[in-house]
Amino acid sequence: MFSNNTVLLLCNSIAGCTKQKGCLNRSQFDKLYINSGSPMPNHEIMKGSKFDQICLCKYSAKSSVTVNDLDITLFNDIVQHCCSSQINFAWRKSIKDVRNFLAHAGTGYVNKQDFDDNWKTLNTATLGFAGEIGKVCEKCFRLKLYGYGVVQQMN
């Protein structure tokens, strides 16, 4: 799963593993997984003081992680590499572009027109993205954006 030169082994069975390069850096991986024990023999290879090969067999997903724990970069990496390729890239790009615009606004403030434009872009992209995942997801996003009363009026 690491995006550097480390190869990650995904244990498919006791008989063997498959090699796969991943998409997460170490800090992202550590936000999502916990080391739960020792790997099977020969499942990790070190070159000097660095791991050249790591196996997932010793990691478990953290049950405490929620969507609120994910920053936009980690969320984007997970969606990009784990969700169906049918999910519209344009929605993800729009969300990331708004994030980048706001993160790099020099003073931390934006004028009303920039705010309104970015809010419209973010709103459209978020609901479009959620709608491609499914109607339940879209409804959850609408609740977060507008509140229960407004969503009821929309239905």
Side-chain angles (χ1 to χ4, degrees):
M1 290 228 154
F2 307 125
S3 57
N4 58 16
N5 293 328
T6 303
V7 173
L8 184 68
L9 289 179
L10 305 174
C11 286
N12 291 331
S13 67
I14 292 177
C17 297
T18 60
K19 288 186 178 183
Q20 179 177 330
K21 288 249 181 182
C23 60
L24 303 178
N25 65 39
R26 185 63 193 224
S27 66
Q28 291 173 321
F29 185 85
D30 289 342
K31 278 186 182 179
L32 301 173
Y33 298 96
I34 189 166
N35 185 335
S36 58
S38 299
M40 300 203 38
N42 301 317
H43 278 215
E44 291 187 338
I45 298 173
M46 292 192 74
K47 285 191 177 176
S49 63
K50 294 187 178 185
F51 284 104
D52 188 48
Q53 177 178 292
I54 298 174
C55 187
L56 276 180
C57 63
K58 73 175 193 175
Y59 292 94
S60 300
K62 290 182 179 177
S63 60
S64 62
V65 175
T66 68
V67 172
N68 295 331
D69 298 320
L70 309 180
D71 59 43
I72 190 70
T73 302
L74 178 53
F75 177 75
N76 187 60
D77 287 344
I78 291 170
V79 169
Q80 183 177 354
H81 296 306
C82 299
C83 291
S84 165
S85 61
Q86 296 173 353
I87 292 182
N88 192 323
F89 173 78
W91 301 135
R92 292 192 321 259
K93 183 177 181 329
S94 293
I95 293 167
K96 194 169 184 179
D97 288 349
V98 168
R99 179 263 176 215
N100 288 339
F101 173 79
L102 295 174
H104 299 289
T107 62
Y109 295 96
V110 294
N111 65 44
K112 183 168 177 10
Q113 185 62 52
D114 284 342
F115 176 85
D116 290 343
D117 291 346
N118 280 288
W119 179 255
K120 183 178 179 182
T121 299
L122 188 59
N123 189 43
T124 301
T126 301
L127 292 175
F129 178 80
E132 289 192 30
I133 293 172
K135 290 294 180 192
V136 171
C137 185
E138 183 179 1
K139 186 173 183 179
C140 288
F141 275 57
R142 284 186 187 280
L143 284 170
K144 287 282 190 184
L145 288 169
Y146 304 119
Y148 182 77
V150 175
V151 172
Q152 289 298 4
Q153 291 173 9
M154 292 175 159
N155 290 333

